[in-house]
Amino acid sequence: MTDTPAPAPLPRDGDGPLHGDPGLQPERTALAWGRTVLTLIAASAVCLRWVPEQGPFVLAMFGLTVAAGSGIYFTQRRRYGRSVEGIRAGRLPPDTAAVFWTAGACVALGAIGVWLVLS
């Protein structure tokens, strides 16, 4: 006699969709994007610390990190809903645009940082 426990209802934030994914894949993905936002916030704080030594050009790095973090934060609900619907439909295409935009922002931040350190 094997009784498998029924999946517990997942917490809802207002009108968010529910799913029956026992591994909570959308939640893990949302947490990963949340960590990315926190990393960008920390990077923007470091950028502000460099302003007295490096000058106002560092504000470009600050602006880029704030823009990237804000973009991720404000599109997170859409990505979560898309993940839930993909699980329900049985097919979830990857969100390559979000990954490429984030990678591009990181490459640009790295290039600006290297230029600032070497100049």
Side-chain angles (χ1 to χ4, degrees):
M1 180 156 118
T2 60
D3 291 327
T4 57
L10 300 175
R12 287 178 56 152
D13 184 28
D15 57 349
L18 291 177
H19 59 85
D21 180 23
L24 303 176
Q25 184 271 330
E27 285 76 11
R28 288 192 317 268
T29 303
L31 287 171
W33 282 110
R35 287 189 301 270
T36 303
V37 170
L38 287 174
T39 302
L40 289 168
I41 289 170
S44 68
V46 170
C47 293
L48 288 178
R49 185 180 183 284
W50 286 352
V51 171
E53 292 105 21
Q54 299 292 335
F57 183 72
V58 176
L59 294 176
M61 286 182 70
F62 175 75
L64 183 59
T65 56
V66 169
S70 298
I72 292 169
Y73 178 78
F74 289 117
T75 59
Q76 190 157 344
R77 182 172 291 279
R78 177 187 55 84
R79 277 193 306 276
Y80 179 84
R82 213 174 121 247
S83 295
V84 170
E85 292 304 318
I87 288 172
R88 285 184 183 161
R91 184 172 193 281
L92 180 62
D95 191 2
T96 55
V99 172
F100 281 123
W101 278 106
T102 305
C106 289
V107 167
L109 283 169
I112 293 171
V114 167
W115 184 81
L116 283 172
V117 169
L118 295 178
S119 65

